[in-house]
Amino acid sequence: MRTRFNPGRLLRPALALSLLLAAAIDAPARDTARGAYLVGIMGCGDCHTAGTMQGKPDMARPLGGSDVGWQVPGMGVFVGSNLTPDRETGLGAWSDAEIVTALRTGVRPDGRQLAPVMPYMGYKNMTDADADAIVAYLRSLKPVSTKVPGPFGPTEKPTLPYFTLVMPGK
Ligand code: HEC
């Protein structure tokens, strides 16, 4: 049987393709350079890059997780985690929205509230564009496989050096 030429059958895929191309062209390029700038001035590396607190940031593993923890009285000791796109030990398996929520509210995808050492209270008014730029920059990092220790509960013994709050005696 002879199939009749039906222009409608060609039109539909052509339309779908052009819509797809238009969407790709319309999507704004993610501002990785601004993200790098923001991550720099917001000091993420202070707490998320090993060595920074000793004045020698480990630039082989930028934002690959700290080697110094922070003790919060009554809460325990917390370590700035690996922010690189490694799936097992970093943020590789997190969605963009999950990262932005952690930045603005301190809530992790598993529901745990991050220790207030992570300055989410100061980041809560971050604009959508800045949050997106930070995520874009974090996604562009070289994945590093480092699982930071902790968090340690108030009665657990930390396995790494940590900062603490010393109350002066009266
Ligand atoms: C003063 C130190 C400090 C600074 C500055 C800081 N963080 Fe954190 N951040 C932490 C600590 C400590 C944790 C872990 C807290 C916990 O486990 O409760 C954390 C956790 C996180 C988490 C959750 C990751 C996870 O695996 O649970 C993300 C995402 C994050 N920080 C991103 C950032 C970004 C991006 C910046 C810069 C814009 C930044 N942080 C700046 C200390 C800091």
Side-chain angles (χ1 to χ4, degrees), residues 35 38-48 53 63 66 68-70 75 77-83 89-91 94 98-103 106-110 112-120 123 126 134-135 138 148-152:
L38 289 170
V39 164
I41 62 168
M42 290 164 84
C44 315
D46 289 2
C47 306
H48 288 275
M53 286 297 173
L63 299 167
S66 186
V68 177
W70 301 80
M75 281 182 78
V77 171
F78 303 88
V79 186
S81 42
N82 180 352
L83 303 181
T89 64
L91 300 179
W94 293 34
E98 286 171 339
I99 298 176
V100 173
T101 299
L103 285 177
V107 178
R108 281 171 43 98
D110 66 5
R112 181 168 76 81
Q113 180 75 50
L114 296 169
V117 179
M118 167 61 196
Y120 57 85
Y123 297 162
M126 198 189 312
I134 289 176
V135 171
L138 296 178
V148 298
F152 300 94

